[in-house]
Amino acid sequence: MLEASLKHRSSFLHLSMIDPYYNTCPSEEEWNIAEKIARFLEPFFHITTLFSRSYYPIANLYFHSVWRIQVRILKELECEDQVIQAMAKVMKEKFHKYWGCYRVVLSFAIILDPRYKLQLVEFCYERLYGNDAVSRAKILHDKLHVIFKGYLQHSTRNSSTMAQRPSCGTPDCDTRDELEGFDTFTSRLVGPNTSKSQLDIYLEESRLNHREHENLNVLGFWKEQCHRFPELSLMARDILSIPITTVASESGFSIGGVKTRNFLDFI
């Protein structure tokens, strides 16, 4: 509404000059305030629209978008304009009420986006927390490894169940696995198995260029990687499929006289 009004600023001024009954034309100062507010709210409008689309965007959009909101609010808290500063102060309180802490499982999604990985988390935390950025990013890194370990254990159990099934139809068939326990055996001569996990390999590989792959289908990427990273691709698709919101934009706002509700209420 503000953007539409600002486009017709000169028209409103002209109307006030030719129509003696039109006496509510905003002053120059009010137009300037409206312009500042429109610039301040523009990214919030785009992110609200993005999160509330009816086809439900995947979870890799969550972390970066919430971070942009937080950075924007903190920046405007230092604005010299008292109106914008007051707005930012109220919005900061609202932000911390809902998103004081980033949702951990949704934050995993940006790490599983091959264009950003853990580097974006560190970069974003650096802007917000300075010297605490690395330690905060490591918490996410460690928790992601714990989740991945659960997927590996589940996969191993399924494989063991398959291996225990008889391979022939005769009653005398010996179904015992002579190498049972070998997978978890630790040699006293060569030390433990130190091979890297699928998650470690993925994180150490070079990121895709986020500008060249701006429209990357992330779920499609992991579908293609299922042969290289079977358990990791399964985990990635499970996490990325989590909807950011369960409410479409037209359901999030009321125009029937009921108090307008913020989209944050539905996250």
Side-chain angles (χ1 to χ4, degrees), residues 160-168 175:
S160 299
T161 302
M162 293 294 292
Q164 290 169 9
R165 293 178 180 175
S167 57
C168 63
T175 60

Side-chain angles (χ1 to χ4, degrees), residues 162-180:
M162 293 294 292
Q164 290 169 9
R165 293 178 180 175
S167 57
C168 63
T170 60
D172 297 330
C173 178
D174 188 356
T175 60
R176 291 175 298 176
D177 183 359
E178 294 179 351
L179 295 180
E180 184 178 357

Side-chain angles (χ1 to χ4, degrees), residues 33-100:
I33 292 174
E35 201 168 28
K36 292 177 182 177
I37 292 174
R39 281 201 304 269
F40 176 38
L41 295 181
E42 184 177 11
F44 297 92
F45 168 77
H46 291 307
I47 293 170
T48 300
T49 304
L50 177 69
F51 276 21
S52 304
R53 283 175 178 167
S54 58
Y55 59 79
Y56 307 127
I58 59 176
N60 65 314
L61 301 173
Y62 163 83
F63 183 88
H64 191 204
S65 298
V66 176
W67 174 78
R68 285 176 58 202
I69 290 175
Q70 189 173 8
V71 168
R72 184 77 178 189
I73 292 173
L74 293 176
K75 178 183 176 182
E76 298 304 335
L77 282 172
E78 301 175 0
C79 179
E80 295 180 358
D81 190 289
Q82 297 299 313
V83 174
I84 300 297
Q85 189 182 96
M87 286 177 61
K89 192 173 294 185
V90 176
M91 293 171 78
K92 181 185 177 185
E93 294 175 2
K94 190 80 169 178
F95 178 90
H96 282 291
K97 178 181 177 182
Y98 291 96
W99 284 343

